[in-house]
Amino acid sequence: MFCRCCFVLILLFTWSSAHNDFFTSIGQMTDLLFMEKDLVSSLKDYIRAEEHKLEQIKKWADRLDVLSSAATQDPEGFLGHPVNAFKLIKRLNTEWRELESLVLTDMSDAFISNLTIQRQNFPNDDDQTGAAKALMRLQDTYQLDTNIISTGELPGSSSVASLTVDDCYDLGKVAYSEADYYHTELWMVQALKQLDQGETSGLVDAVTVLDYLSYSVYQQGELERALGFTKRLLELDPTHQRANGNLKYFEYQLSKQKKAEATEEAEGRHRTVSRGRPDDYLPERRKYEQLCRGEGIRMTPRRQSRLFCRYYDNNRHPRYVIGPVRQEDEWDHPRIVRYHNIVSDKEMEKVKELAKPRLRRATVHDPQTGKLTTAHYRVSKSAWLGAFEHPVVDKINQRIEDITGLDVTTAEDLQVANYGVGGQYEPHFDFGRFPLDETLTERLFVLQMSDVPAGGATVFTDIRAAVWPKKGTAVFWYNLYPSGEGDYRTRHAACPVLVGNKWVSNKWIHERGQEFRRRCGLQETD
């Protein structure tokens, strides 16, 4: 029986800065910008047409205003002139009818027609909710204050985009609809802050924001703050029915709480109330997010001194004897290496061009429903490119084989992925841990290597390692031990993209076909 050996090579490229899930691919969202530009141009055409129409009506009205003012000074004298009498009858019989027709002319037909056609390609409510959740994910992962996000002053960003009171309120409502009272509070507080600073809104007022705030902090067990927000609300609107009811309820509950605390204190017991972000389904969430921020990386100076850069020719491979590639050690155990300048800008652009029309959201099998569903833990879209589809894809596959020395004829097609707003892939393994389960295959890691101004690192949560994006490079490591057993140290995650547009291309090389290229071993060693 052959051993199972799995490997990974990932080429990453980026551009720094109708269907659902637009928010999961920045590359496809660029189409929305051009669509909106076209709609704005169409809207301006409509405005010009309306302005021209109103100008004609205004000229007609001004001319008749002067005429009628003079005529009514001496009506009989004016109509005593037969030409004036004729023109009055003609105007009322013909010209006013023409004016009526002009006024009733709908100049919006072209614009409405274009809008109707384009609307089928608009994002929907799910996209808006997904984008809102992405902002909150970035907020948590990179420990960003709501004010920093609201002002748009994100680290690594060269442009500034700000959030209005209405935007902050909408973010709070999305969190509220998910029963996420922690983020509801954060964004409603930000909305209230901007209202207090004098920003105006035609959609929301302080009373509405305070109503959400009092309930969200109450749900987090903070009765005193809930009572405070309720009192402030009633100062603005004393007749607010729900707030008046809440006031009595909060005062009653707070009185009970204080009595209970007094009893516990007398008995030497102390109540602790934990605040902040609630735990979720991912036990290693905080470790993962810490690594995404570049914190807690376990690389000692001594180990770092043993990592080198070198020119690599893969045992004097004919293609690389004269022009070896630059190989850089990224990690020692397990060994992770990066190859520089593996693909050219021209090749990367061609790969993106081929993949972009075919990008689709990642799906997983739901064991409860038996159906395919979108993977909430993976915010990206991907497409698969076969070697036969374009010479560039074939060249990249051959280059991978030449550099790694592995047979790619049994490998999967080239997978191209583009990450969306706050795009990420949560901690996971890419090898099957249950050999008899056909839904799990021996695959390899996904590691992103692209120019991303902020965020987007790939982190290994078990060994506390992080590899940062760099355009045109490839990262390679073995996913399994030579014995065929899975290397659990390679559990990894793709951190959310904070600023930029992350493109990656992955090549999964299976163990079949590598029997004489990577020999099996009995020891679970690197």
Side-chain angles (χ1 to χ4, degrees):
M1 181 178 70
F2 295 122
C3 71
R4 297 172 297 161
C5 302
C6 259
F7 330 91
V8 59
L9 185 82
I10 295 106
L11 312 173
L12 292 96
F13 357 102
T14 185
W15 295 331
S16 298
S17 327
H19 55 262
N20 297 338
D21 300 334
F22 275 109
F23 73 95
T24 63
S25 169
I26 295 294
Q28 287 190 331
M29 283 181 66
T30 57
D31 294 338
L32 298 181
L33 284 177
F34 290 103
M35 179 183 69
E36 187 173 50
K37 182 180 179 181
D38 177 67
L39 285 173
V40 170
S41 177
S42 178
L43 179 60
K44 286 184 174 180
D45 289 341
Y46 162 64
I47 292 171
R48 281 191 290 269
E50 287 285 10
E51 288 175 340
H52 178 67
K53 169 183 164 181
L54 289 172
E55 186 62 29
Q56 287 181 282
I57 296 171
K58 185 176 181 299
K59 286 180 179 178
W60 200 88
D62 290 344
R63 178 173 60 85
L64 283 189
D65 184 45
V66 172
L67 180 63
S68 61
S69 294
T72 54
Q73 294 295 322
D74 182 12
E76 292 185 1
F78 179 80
L79 292 174
H81 196 298
V83 172
N84 286 338
F86 167 75
K87 292 185 72 172
L88 174 62
I89 293 172
K90 178 177 178 291
R91 280 198 306 274
L92 293 171
N93 182 55
T94 305
E95 294 180 16
W96 276 96
R97 196 182 310 164
E98 293 173 353
L99 179 65
E100 179 184 18
S101 178
L102 176 61
V103 171
L104 292 175
T105 301
D106 189 352
M107 311 304 292
S108 66
D109 284 349
F111 170 69
I112 294 299
S113 176
N114 188 23
L115 181 62
T116 302
I117 292 171
Q118 298 286 16
R119 191 185 298 278
Q120 61 187 327
N121 298 314
F122 277 18
N124 58 21
D125 290 343
D126 289 339
D127 284 301
Q128 185 170 333
T129 298
K133 288 182 178 179
L135 282 180
M136 297 174 207
R137 181 164 58 251
L138 293 172
Q139 178 181 10
D140 295 337
T141 303
Y142 299 106
Q143 295 184 338
L144 301 174
D145 183 78
T146 52
N147 193 62
I148 290 177
I149 299 176
S150 182
T151 57
E153 298 173 354
L154 299 177
S157 176
S158 58
S159 59
V160 177
S162 59
L163 295 174
T164 65
V165 168
D166 296 337
D167 295 331
C168 296
Y169 172 71
D170 286 338
L171 285 166
K173 281 210 305 181
V174 168
Y176 183 83
S177 68
E178 300 284 325
D180 177 2
Y181 302 112
Y182 170 74
H183 287 106
T184 302
E185 176 194 347
L186 293 179
W187 284 104
M188 289 302 175
V189 165
Q190 182 63 32
L192 187 63
K193 176 183 176 181
Q194 293 180 208
L195 283 171
D196 290 343
Q197 290 173 345
E199 186 177 334
T200 58
S201 168
L203 300 177
V204 63
D205 56 19
V207 169
T208 305
V209 174
L210 286 165
D211 195 18
Y212 276 101
L213 262 178
S214 63
Y215 186 74
S216 63
V217 296
Y218 162 71
Q219 284 292 333
Q220 296 177 81
E222 296 189 75
L223 281 170
E224 285 196 43
R225 292 185 67 213
L227 182 60
F229 285 130
T230 302
K231 288 180 177 179
R232 182 176 171 185
L233 188 161
L234 288 171
E235 288 175 3
L236 299 173
D237 183 3
T239 63
H240 197 286
Q241 186 175 356
R242 182 167 50 251
N244 277 297
N246 287 344
L247 179 67
K248 296 176 182 178
Y249 178 75
F250 292 155
E251 287 177 335
Y252 170 71
Q253 290 294 333
L254 190 60
S255 175
K256 283 180 59 179
Q257 179 178 299
K258 288 182 176 180
K259 288 180 181 178
E261 289 174 353
T263 302
E264 290 172 358
E265 187 174 348
E267 295 174 353
R269 294 181 290 122
H270 298 281
R271 178 181 300 187
T272 58
V273 179
S274 61
R275 279 206 72 238
R277 183 174 156 207
D279 294 331
D280 65 7
Y281 58 88
L282 190 64
E284 61 199 308
R285 168 82 60 193
R286 298 189 186 280
K287 185 198 301 184
Y288 153 55
E289 293 179 348
Q290 185 183 34
L291 290 169
C292 288
R293 297 190 296 271
E295 302 169 2
I297 297 174
R298 288 180 183 163
M299 176 53 70
T300 64
R302 183 177 181 181
R303 288 171 62 191
Q304 181 75 44
S305 67
R306 296 172 181 171
L307 302 180
F308 297 97
C309 295
R310 64 189 67 81
Y311 283 104
Y312 178 77
D313 62 11
N314 192 16
N315 295 321
R316 299 185 63 77
H317 189 284
R319 292 181 188 271
Y320 297 108
V321 171
I322 297 177
V325 297
R326 286 192 298 150
Q327 184 191 70
E328 176 185 1
D329 294 332
E330 286 284 352
W331 207 260
D332 49 3
H333 302 293
R335 189 176 184 224
I336 304 171
V337 296
R338 185 198 299 265
Y339 297 101
H340 291 264
N341 301 320
I342 293 301
V343 286
S344 67
D345 287 345
K346 186 176 180 180
E347 288 173 323
M348 289 187 282
E349 291 305 314
K350 176 53 68 175
V351 169
K352 294 175 194 175
E353 179 187 325
L354 293 170
K356 190 174 176 181
R358 294 154 56 177
L359 291 173
R360 297 291 182 270
R361 179 82 186 270
T363 57
V364 294
H365 182 266
D366 189 331
Q368 293 183 335
T369 64
K371 298 179 180 179
L372 288 176
T373 182
T374 54
H376 66 277
Y377 53 81
R378 187 175 189 177
V379 183
S380 66
K381 288 185 178 180
S382 58
W384 298 85
L385 303 179
F388 64 89
E389 297 187 55
H390 196 278
V392 164
V393 181
D394 190 35
K395 286 180 182 178
I396 290 175
N397 285 340
Q398 186 60 54
R399 202 170 297 152
I400 292 171
E401 180 164 319
D402 295 339
I403 291 173
T404 64
L406 300 171
D407 188 350
V408 300
T409 58
T410 58
E412 297 185 23
D413 287 341
L414 195 69
Q415 186 204 43
V416 182
N418 180 228
Y419 288 75
V421 182
Q424 66 161 6
Y425 194 172
E426 291 180 353
H428 61 283
F429 295 105
D430 274 336
F431 57 83
R433 289 172 285 166
F434 307 98
L436 298 180
D437 187 347
E438 295 181 0
T439 65
L440 295 175
T441 59
E442 285 74 37
R443 300 194 175 187
L444 61 165
F445 280 110
V446 179
L447 177 64
Q448 60 273 28
M449 289 286 116
S450 55
D451 288 333
V452 177
T458 294
V459 298
F460 297 79
T461 53
D462 184 71
I463 59 174
R464 288 187 174 271
V467 182
W468 302 94
K470 188 170 184 180
K471 184 178 181 180
T473 67
V475 167
F476 177 76
W477 76 94
Y478 289 106
N479 196 35
L480 303 180
Y481 289 112
S483 64
E485 296 300 319
D487 188 344
Y488 285 81
R489 299 172 300 174
T490 56
R491 182 170 173 83
H492 74 289
C495 296
V497 177
L498 179 56
V499 176
N501 185 7
K502 179 179 173 184
W503 286 85
V504 303
S505 183
N506 310 314
K507 190 70 176 178
W508 277 292
I509 308 172
H510 292 291
E511 74 273 16
R512 184 166 61 88
Q514 317 306 331
E515 294 83 2
F516 301 104
R517 301 204 182 198
R518 191 196 186 206
R519 298 283 183 174
C520 297
L522 298 179
Q523 302 296 322
E524 289 191 3
T525 58
D526 292 335

